[in-house]
Each structure stands twice: as structure tokens, then as C-alpha cells.
Amino acid sequence: MSTQSTARPAVASGTFDLGGDLTVNRLGYGAMQLTGPGVWGDPRDPDEAIRVLRRAVELGVTFIDTADAYGPFVNEQLIRKALHPYADDLVIATKGGQTRQGPGPSNWTPVGRPEYLRQQAELSLRHLAVERIDLYQLHRIDPKVPLAEQIGELARLQQEGKIRHIGVSEVTVEQLKEARTYAEIVSVQNLYNLANRSAEDVLKYAEAENIAFIPWFPIATGELARPGGPLDAASRRHGASPSQLALAWLLRRSAVMLPIPGTSRVAHLEENAGAALVDLSDEEFEALAAAL
């Protein structure tokens, strides 16, 4: 194993070209957990949050995912504080179209009115201190607003040079196909992990169309990691953690897969990055896939 691989393990995950022209290392980092409890307010340990972001880049991460709703805005501002001016190869992806009414899982409401999406994109530009957002994702489709108007506004922002590429989040295949009739869609971000593959049809469509698939909540070992379970046995064989195996499985599952494990601690970040160095055999991959 090369010294570079051990020092910057995320590099070993391989690369993907977003939109055909924006190269990122496939194992990224999801910044949501850096905010306060309930994804609300400032982090419990602001200094550790800064260390996590800087360490992620040191480990070879070139793709960081955030959203205006994380905090709200706290997450984007942390990224700016920690990493601006950004390295040339670092891609910061953010999202808009999801509002917050307070902390916790119940306080998320999609708002896709064109004027709101424009406002939030402009604020993200300011909070991240960039002139153009490399990847701007519609955080959720607002069922009260025609999708043509939501994607259409992002396309106008793209034409104005404020967005480089457009992505969508938590969509069906039919919604993804419709979105592509209004603009080029280079990524889709859906819930997906070893224990929950309900978005398999979306992944297969993304593979066929060379669209990046960004699985949120990529580590969900749960029952799979129980003593004597499939992840437990494989962990002992590899000297790896169940979380590392879950991420390694995602990286092996598809060349368009861009996992974004999140954490608020440097030690856990380093563990996750090590997943890129785990090489699953064909038999191990199939055994884990068949475990549920």
C-alpha cells in the first residue's frame, strides 16, 4: 500500500466526473452533523467542527455536501471559515428548497417557489463566499409547485453563471426523468445503504445515464453488525469496522456511487476514510448484498 494511500485514503476510492467536467474523489463527506442538535444552530464544539472539515481535505476528500437548511446556514458558514479560500480540486455541493421551523426531524418543509429558490441560492453564494456553486441540488421537490418551475429557476441561475451543475434529492425515477426535460441533471441524492436499498431503481437509472448517485445515510449497519452477523464476520477478516465495510460495499456497488458519510469527530472521520482502502472480494460483496 502506498504512503499516499494511507495518508490520503479517500483518493483510493476512485474518481467520478460530475457533469463530465468536474472530477471528484468518490468517497466524500456530508457536513450535516457539524451543526447543533437536531441539525439546528451552532455545533457543540465549533473548534472540532473546523478540525473535521480541514482533516477531511487532508484525507483526500474533494467532495463536500451541505445545504442551506443545515443550521440553517450555519453549515455553509462553517465550511467557509474552515476551508476558504478553497483548494482548486475541492467541490462544495449545497442544496436549497427545504425550510426549517426548528430542530428535529419533523421540522422540514419543502418550498420550491422560484423566488425562494433564487433567494436561497444567492444566500448560499454569499455564505460560501463563491461566485458560482459547483453543484446546486433541489433539496426536496415541493408538491405545491410545478417541477418545471423549480428546475426552471435553477436552470436560469445556471445560465447566469451562478450554478455550474444541477442535482436533485429524494426523487423517483419518474421525477428524475421529468427533471431532465427541463435541465441537465448531473446528480441524484437519495436514501440508500446496505440495509435500505429501496432506491435501487433510481440507482440503476443513474448508472445507465452516468448520473452521480449520492447516497445519504450511507452507514446503517444495525442488525448486520450484530455478533455473528455478516458484517461482524467480515470485519474480523479484514480488520475493519462495520462502518468501513458498509462504505466499501457502496463504493463497490456502482462506479457512479458517491457516498458522503458524516460525522462531527475527527477520529470517526478518519475511520470512515479508511473504507476506501478495504477491498471486498466478489464473494464478500455478494454475501453482504444477500444479507437482507
Side-chain angles (χ1 to χ4, degrees):
M1 188 178 297
S2 70
T3 302
Q4 182 178 13
S5 294
T6 55
R8 304 183 74 236
V11 175
S13 65
T15 61
F16 183 83
D17 294 337
L18 285 163
D21 65 0
L22 194 58
T23 303
V24 297
N25 292 333
R26 290 175 54 217
L27 185 61
Y29 173 70
M32 184 180 76
Q33 292 187 32
L34 293 182
T35 49
V39 199
W40 187 263
D42 295 323
R44 289 190 178 97
D45 188 342
D47 291 339
E48 180 74 352
I50 296 298
R51 285 192 290 268
V52 166
L53 287 163
R54 291 175 177 167
R55 184 64 177 141
V57 173
E58 292 173 352
L59 292 168
V61 168
T62 59
F63 181 68
I64 294 177
D65 178 82
T66 183
D68 64 15
Y70 300 162
F73 295 123
V74 169
N75 215 253
E76 293 177 332
Q77 293 168 346
L78 279 170
I79 289 170
R80 180 187 66 194
K81 182 177 180 180
L83 301 175
H84 190 273
Y86 305 112
D88 291 341
D89 64 346
L90 183 60
V91 172
I92 308 295
T94 193
K95 301 182 286 292
Q98 185 88 304
T99 65
R100 304 298 308 282
Q101 294 76 50
S106 63
N107 291 299
W108 301 78
T109 303
V111 175
R113 296 192 307 274
E115 64 273 18
Y116 178 77
L117 293 175
R118 175 170 289 272
Q119 167 188 290
Q120 297 308 101
E122 293 283 3
L123 287 170
S124 289
L125 285 165
R126 184 188 306 173
H127 292 147
L128 290 169
V130 294
E131 295 183 358
R132 181 177 66 175
I133 296 167
D134 282 329
L135 175 62
Y136 194 84
Q137 303 156 93
L138 182 63
H139 203 159
R140 290 292 186 275
I141 291 177
D142 184 347
K144 298 178 181 178
V145 179
L147 185 56
E149 295 183 14
Q150 298 176 67
I151 300 297
E153 190 62 29
L154 300 188
R156 280 186 284 276
L157 287 161
Q158 185 180 49
Q159 292 161 7
E160 294 167 14
K162 296 175 180 179
I163 292 173
R164 182 169 180 172
H165 290 303
I166 299 170
V168 291
S169 181
E170 262 326 285
V171 296
T172 64
V173 171
E174 291 70 25
Q175 289 170 328
L176 180 52
K177 287 179 177 179
E178 182 185 354
R180 297 183 72 203
T181 66
Y182 310 127
E184 181 183 4
I185 304 298
V186 307
S187 69
V188 56
Q189 184 169 159
N190 274 31
L191 170 64
Y192 188 92
N193 53 56
L194 182 57
N196 185 340
R197 286 169 266 166
S198 56
E200 190 74 28
D201 59 338
V202 179
L203 171 58
K204 289 179 178 178
Y205 179 81
E207 286 181 304
E209 299 297 322
N210 200 38
I211 295 170
F213 186 93
I214 306 168
W216 62 268
F217 196 38
I219 301 174
T221 55
E223 181 68 11
L224 294 175
R226 72 188 184 281
L231 282 175
D232 178 56
S235 292
R236 286 185 273 106
R237 283 195 299 273
H238 282 276
S241 70
S243 294
Q244 287 175 327
L245 290 177
L247 290 169
W249 187 89
L250 288 173
L251 290 168
R252 175 70 183 275
R253 169 60 186 83
S254 174
V256 306
M257 189 82 76
L258 273 61
I260 50 167
T263 178
S264 60
R265 297 295 173 188
V266 168
H268 193 201
L269 171 75
E270 293 173 341
E271 176 187 325
N272 288 342
L277 303 176
V278 176
D279 185 19
L280 296 177
S281 68
D282 292 342
E283 293 76 14
E284 288 172 325
F285 175 81
E286 294 300 336
L288 291 176
L292 290 180

